[in-house]
């Protein structure tokens, strides 16, 4: 009757925190399975990855530009196809696309676009353990706005047209508070350290952990 936050099945590590909290992802898949059976999961996978693709095409520029560069987008899509399965990675990419699009809308003068950032973050933190990337994206955006205020980059955008930094900092604080919205609560902040430990222990056995070179 509740979402598990502790491992109640382990003999060697009883009551160990379950750091991989995916309630949004697993809850959505369970509802799809309950309503439409196994075929519904195929629909979720196809529609979900198509939405990811369109989010990134739109973030890169106007739809007309995306249509002109369709061959390059197909190459980018082929680079990702091995990960296009019904895994939490799907929700990670959806959240990343939504967050980038929201920040871009804020940069183009649509101040309400910033509302999408904490919404994408709360989806992310409840869907996949890559949620720390949300803070990296928001931090890089702060650096970007700061750079536009210096004499090195002020020719790119007039200083008076640079979006205000205060709302962005407020969104980062709000995202930090929303991070504790998972069943683990404050313990979720230990999840990145746990992931780093897995990287050390299982690097030789898991393909995703292999060094790029």
């Amino acid at each position: 009757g509740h979402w598990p936050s502790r491992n109640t099945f382990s003999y060697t590590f009883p009551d160990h925190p379950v750091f991989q909290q995916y309630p949004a992802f697993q809850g959505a898949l369970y509802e799809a399975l309950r309503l439409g059976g196994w075929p519904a999961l195929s629909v979720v996978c196809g529609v979900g990855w198509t939405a990811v693709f369109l989010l990134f095409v739109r973030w890169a520029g106007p739809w007309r530009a995306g249509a002109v560069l369709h061959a390059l987008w197909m190459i980018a899509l082929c680079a990702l196809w091995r990960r296009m399965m019904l895994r939490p990675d799907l929700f990670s990419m959806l959240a990343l696309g939504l967050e980038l699009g929201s920040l871009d809308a804020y940069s183009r003068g649509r101040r309400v676009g910033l509302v999408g950032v904490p919404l994408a973050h709360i989806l992310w933190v409840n869907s996949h353990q890559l949620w720390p990337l949300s803070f990296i994206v928001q931090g890089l955006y702060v650096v970007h706005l700061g750079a536009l205020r210096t004499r090195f980059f002020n020719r790119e955008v007039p200083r008076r047209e640079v979006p205000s930094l205060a709302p962005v900092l407020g969104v980062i604080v709000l995202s930090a508070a929303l991070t504790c919205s998972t069943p683990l609560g404050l313990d979720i902040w230990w999840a990145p350290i746990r992931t780093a430990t897995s990287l050390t222990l299982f690097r030789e056995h898991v393909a995703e952990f292999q060094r790029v070179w």
Side-chain angles (χ1 to χ4, degrees), residues 91-103:
F91 275 45
S92 239
M93 296 297 287
L94 281 171
L96 177 58
L98 289 169
E99 194 164 292
L100 291 173
S102 299
L103 292 173

Side-chain angles (χ1 to χ4, degrees), residues 23-24 32 58 87 118 120 123 131 134 145-146 193 209:
R58 182 64 187 91
R87 289 169 53 98
L123 170 67
W131 58 263
S134 173
L145 292 183
I193 299 176
F209 289 167

Side-chain angles (χ1 to χ4, degrees), residues 29-211:
L29 261 59
Y30 175 74
E31 286 302 316
L33 178 66
R34 188 175 64 85
L35 295 174
W38 293 103
L41 297 183
S42 295
V43 173
V44 170
C45 188
V47 172
W49 282 110
T50 301
V52 169
F53 175 64
L54 294 177
L55 280 171
F56 276 85
V57 172
R58 182 64 187 91
W59 173 62
W63 289 115
R64 288 177 296 176
V68 171
L69 299 173
H70 65 277
L72 294 177
W73 277 112
M74 288 299 104
I75 293 174
L77 200 60
C78 284
L80 195 63
W81 75 270
R82 291 189 65 184
R83 304 302 300 170
M84 286 182 181
M85 54 188 77
L86 207 52
R87 289 169 53 98
D89 310 50
L90 168 60
F91 275 45
S92 239
M93 296 297 287
L94 281 171
L96 177 58
L98 289 169
E99 194 164 292
L100 291 173
S102 299
L103 292 173
D104 188 56
Y106 181 70
S107 292
R108 288 186 278 107
R110 298 177 60 185
R111 303 304 188 233
V112 70
L114 204 58
V115 175
V117 176
L119 295 178
H121 181 83
I122 196 172
L123 170 67
W124 207 338
V125 78
N126 282 282
S127 300
H128 197 206
Q129 60 184 345
L130 284 182
W131 58 263
L133 185 58
S134 173
F135 288 113
I136 295 175
V137 170
Q138 295 182 54
L140 288 174
Y141 186 66
V142 170
V143 172
H144 170 68
L145 292 183
L148 291 178
R149 287 172 166 78
T150 66
R151 62 187 180 89
F152 298 103
F153 296 94
N154 58 8
R155 294 180 182 178
E156 183 178 334
V157 178
R159 186 170 298 184
R160 64 180 179 277
E161 296 181 13
V162 176
S164 176
L165 193 58
V168 181
L169 294 174
V171 164
I172 293 178
V173 173
L174 178 59
S175 296
L178 291 174
T179 301
C180 302
S181 66
T182 72
L184 272 180
L186 289 172
D187 284 345
I188 193 65
W189 290 103
W190 295 101
I193 299 176
R194 182 64 181 177
T195 303
T197 304
S198 299
L199 179 66
T200 304
L201 294 175
F202 302 111
R203 182 190 295 277
E204 303 303 326
H205 307 286
V206 180
E208 291 91 335
F209 289 167
Q210 297 294 323
R211 293 179 174 87

